[in-house]
């Protein structure tokens, strides 16, 4: 029998998707499930993007350039300029989602056995991309009590070894919803410069910031040009998860030249989706204002309702559309399964993501869940009611 690679054996399962068979079974039994487990927004894609697909009278759906079409990259550079980030189309590589941008970034800067420091809890697929790249994740724990703010910079410094190549942050954060302040970015900038490391910032939720606070990008920080790599995506910004378009942005020429070789190996990012994504850049500001208002309302409702449940602790997010809640249970893996298999409230139940999969330190986050507030306010209220009723009867 031919054997599977060690890498393959060690690829982690997605903590978000592993409960899917239980959800399918619950659905077969006729239960209605409120899906709070996955960041698939129910928001409509901008009409300009959909129209661009309808109106594209292509005769051949050809490859595009490996780095993405020049007109699209030029327009992306214009978007960044509006957000005080000074880049040109030459600093951008269009990828198949932010996911591929992460893979290209890891592949371009790290070798087998190198280390990347990541504040946890973090986007679970960072574990998968690290395993695929043979890279070791070194976690720094951020705490619910601090709203998941940046851990003290000394905690990062202690972990730096000759193998450390980069620090990776997600800003604003999935799964925490925490938005790093300018001061926190400056602290990270100082440490990566001091130790000559890369700073990768996953900014795919950069437009989703609330309460009048501004997003501060690592590429707004002067002097970080050789260190900074931004990961970006159209998936959430324009509710275009299925387009599979993202980009890697860096002023470091060697990073771009290297990432381009990875891009050439997979030939090109999706051509039709680039047309839609380029058009999406013309989305009127009103669309974003409305979407943001909607998420703020949802967040407020969700947090207010969760805080009413005895024994539940929740961090207040000011970005993205996720929050971490601590529940009065020992193991949310079992609880989340039980919600689908054995519980219903008026024939309804909820699907949540157990948070342990967002940590790489074993045993941490076992009593936490991640909730994505991608459903309307009414559904969120019902979902929290279901959660509250479930907690009344659940036995660990
Ligand atoms: C923090 C973060 N980064 C990257 C991605 C990858 O997104 P995509 O490949 O759809 O651009 C996601 C998707 O949920 C995410 O939450």
């Amino acid at each position: 029998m031919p054997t599977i690679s060690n890498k393959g054996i060690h690829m982690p399962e997605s903590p978000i998707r592993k409960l899917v068979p239980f959800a399918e079974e619950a659905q077969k039994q006729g239960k209605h499930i409120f899906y709070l487990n996955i960041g698939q927004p129910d928001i409509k894609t901008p009409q300009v993007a959909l129209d661009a697909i309808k109106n594209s009278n292509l005769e051949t759906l050809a490859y595009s350039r490996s780095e993405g079409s020049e007109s699209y990259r030029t327009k992306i550079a214009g978007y960044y300029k509006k957000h005080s980030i000074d880049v040109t189309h030459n600093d951008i590589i269009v990828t198949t989602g932010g996911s591929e941008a992460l893979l290209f970034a890891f592949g371009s800067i790290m070798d087998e056995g190198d280390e990347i420091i990541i504040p946890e809890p973090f986007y679970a697929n960072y574990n998968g991309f690290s395993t695929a790249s043979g890279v070791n994740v070194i976690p720094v724990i951020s705490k619910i009590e601090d709203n998941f703010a940046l851990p003290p910079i000394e905690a990062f410094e202690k972990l730096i070894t000759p193998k450390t190549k980069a620090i990776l942050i997600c800003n604003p954060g999935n799964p925490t919803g925490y938005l790093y302040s300018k001061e926190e970015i400056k602290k990270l900038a100082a440490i990566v410069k001091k130790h000559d490391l890369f700073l990768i910032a996953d900014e795919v939720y950069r437009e989703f910031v609330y309460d009048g606070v501004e997003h501060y990008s690592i590429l707004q920080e002067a002097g970080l040009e050789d260190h900074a790599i931004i990961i970006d995506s159209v998936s959430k910004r324009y509710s275009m998860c299925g387009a599979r378009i993202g980009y890697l942005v860096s002023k470091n020429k060697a990073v771009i030249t290297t990432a381009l070789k990875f891009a050439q190996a997979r030939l090109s990012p999706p051509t039709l989706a680039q047309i839609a994504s380029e058009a999406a850049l013309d989305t009127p500001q009103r669309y974003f204002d409305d979407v943001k208002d909607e998420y703020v309302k949802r967040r407020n409702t969700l947090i207010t309702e969760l805080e009413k449940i005895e024994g539940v602790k929740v961090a207040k997010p000011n970005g993205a559309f996720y929050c971490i809640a601590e529940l009065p249970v020992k193991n949310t893996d079992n609880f989340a399964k039980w919600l689908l298999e054995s519980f219903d409230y008026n024939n309804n139940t909820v699907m949540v993501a157990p948070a342990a999969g967002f940590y790489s330190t074993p045993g941490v986050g076992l009593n936490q869940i991640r909730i994505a507030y991608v459903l309307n306010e009414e559904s969120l209220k019902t979902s929290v009611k279901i959660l509250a009723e479930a907690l009344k009867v659940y036995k660990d």
Side-chain angles (χ1 to χ4, degrees):
M1 175 86 154
T3 58
I4 293 300
S5 68
N6 263 330
K7 215 185 251 183
I9 290 165
H10 289 110
M11 270 303 277
E13 243 186 331
S14 159
I16 306 163
R17 292 175 189 265
K18 70 180 178 190
L19 293 171
V20 168
F22 297 94
E24 278 170 358
E25 194 46 45
Q27 252 173 347
K28 271 191 212 147
Q29 289 166 18
K31 279 191 216 174
H32 175 76
I33 304 172
F34 289 92
Y35 290 93
L36 305 175
N37 61 312
I38 193 159
Q40 169 60 63
D42 61 348
I43 305 285
K44 284 202 175 122
T45 302
Q47 197 56 43
V48 276
L50 298 173
D51 286 346
I53 297 177
K54 279 186 208 136
N55 300 335
S56 69
N57 43 10
L58 293 175
E59 284 179 2
T60 305
L61 196 48
Y63 289 125
S64 79
R65 281 172 63 175
S66 298
E67 61 270 56
S69 84
E70 188 162 332
S71 68
Y72 181 34
R73 287 180 296 123
T74 304
K75 228 163 144 180
I76 297 169
Y79 162 88
Y80 282 124
K81 280 217 175 74
K82 268 199 248 153
H83 290 84
S84 314
I85 296 170
D86 185 23
V87 290
T88 73
H89 66 282
N90 291 321
D91 305 321
I92 298 166
I93 292 184
V94 178
T95 53
T96 308
S99 305
E100 193 180 60
L102 280 158
L103 270 173
F104 287 178
F106 282 24
S108 300
I109 64 170
M110 289 183 279
D111 286 310
E112 187 96 17
D114 280 344
E115 294 172 356
I116 184 162
I117 301 176
I118 317 179
E120 63 178 359
F122 53 73
Y123 175 52
N125 284 329
Y126 295 161
N127 273 326
F129 299 135
S130 302
T131 306
S133 310
V135 165
N136 296 322
V137 171
I138 309 295
V140 189
I141 299 180
S142 65
K143 300 201 184 104
I144 195 163
E145 293 76 28
D146 306 328
N147 238 357
F148 297 109
L150 192 76
I153 209 72
E154 299 75 39
F156 287 83
E157 194 131 35
K158 267 193 218 147
L159 297 172
I160 294 173
T161 73
K163 291 265 184 209
T164 311
K165 290 300 294 284
I167 294 174
L168 167 60
I169 57 165
C170 183
N171 191 31
N174 173 8
T176 64
Y178 185 79
L179 178 73
Y180 291 117
S181 66
K182 191 171 181 175
E183 290 66 40
E184 287 171 316
I185 298 293
K186 283 190 178 295
K187 282 185 195 166
L188 287 165
I191 195 174
V192 296
K193 281 194 273 187
K194 180 174 166 195
H195 294 277
D196 213 10
L197 307 175
F198 285 102
L199 179 59
I200 308 176
D202 181 337
E203 299 187 356
V204 305
Y205 296 97
R206 65 196 324 283
E207 296 270 351
F208 301 95
V209 294
Y210 315 126
D211 309 326
V213 200
E214 282 205 6
H215 181 265
Y216 187 69
S217 169
I218 57 167
L219 269 178
Q220 280 172 275
E221 179 64 21
L224 213 53
E225 291 78 7
D226 287 340
H227 303 264
I229 301 174
I230 290 181
I231 306 300
D232 213 337
S233 167
V234 306
S235 289
K236 318 288 161 137
R237 185 164 309 148
Y238 309 105
S239 201
M240 287 173 65
C241 296
R244 310 309 306 130
I245 291 286
Y247 19 102
L248 178 152
V249 188
S250 183
K251 301 285 282 180
N252 181 320
K253 295 281 172 245
V255 168
I256 292 293
T257 314
T258 311
L260 181 56
K261 290 190 276 180
F262 285 86
Q264 286 166 348
R266 64 78 165 109
L267 306 182
S268 101
T271 301
L272 190 56
Q274 278 182 84
I275 294 172
S277 303
E278 185 170 337
L281 283 161
D282 292 326
T283 304
Q285 185 54 38
R286 195 165 18 89
Y287 172 93
F288 298 105
D289 295 342
D290 290 348
V291 171
K292 240 160 112 163
D293 284 351
E294 179 61 28
Y295 279 124
V296 169
K297 276 196 247 159
R298 291 176 181 190
R299 178 202 58 178
N300 294 347
T301 301
L302 177 68
I303 303 293
T304 310
E305 296 302 313
L306 283 171
E307 281 177 340
K308 288 182 193 162
I309 311 176
E310 212 185 306
V312 170
K313 199 192 287 176
V314 56
K316 189 168 179 187
N318 52 0
F321 36 72
Y322 305 97
C323 81
I324 294 271
E326 205 166 278
L327 306 182
V329 304
K330 286 201 187 86
N331 186 318
T332 54
D333 245 332
N334 298 338
F335 178 64
K337 240 182 259 165
W338 173 85
L339 279 171
L340 296 167
E341 272 191 316
S342 313
F343 179 77
D344 74 276
Y345 180 67
N346 298 335
N347 211 30
N348 292 315
T349 194
V350 288
M351 186 164 175
V352 294
F358 297 95
Y359 290 85
S360 73
T361 306
V364 181
L366 285 174
N367 59 350
Q368 297 176 353
I369 54 169
R370 185 195 73 169
I371 297 178
Y373 44 100
V374 290
L375 304 180
N376 64 39
E377 274 185 283
E378 216 34 59
S379 301
L380 285 174
K381 268 193 197 157
T382 314
S383 304
V384 179
K385 172 77 180 153
I386 296 166
L387 209 54
E389 292 299 323
L391 286 168
K392 280 184 200 162
V393 294
Y394 180 70
K395 303 248 176 316
D396 261 320

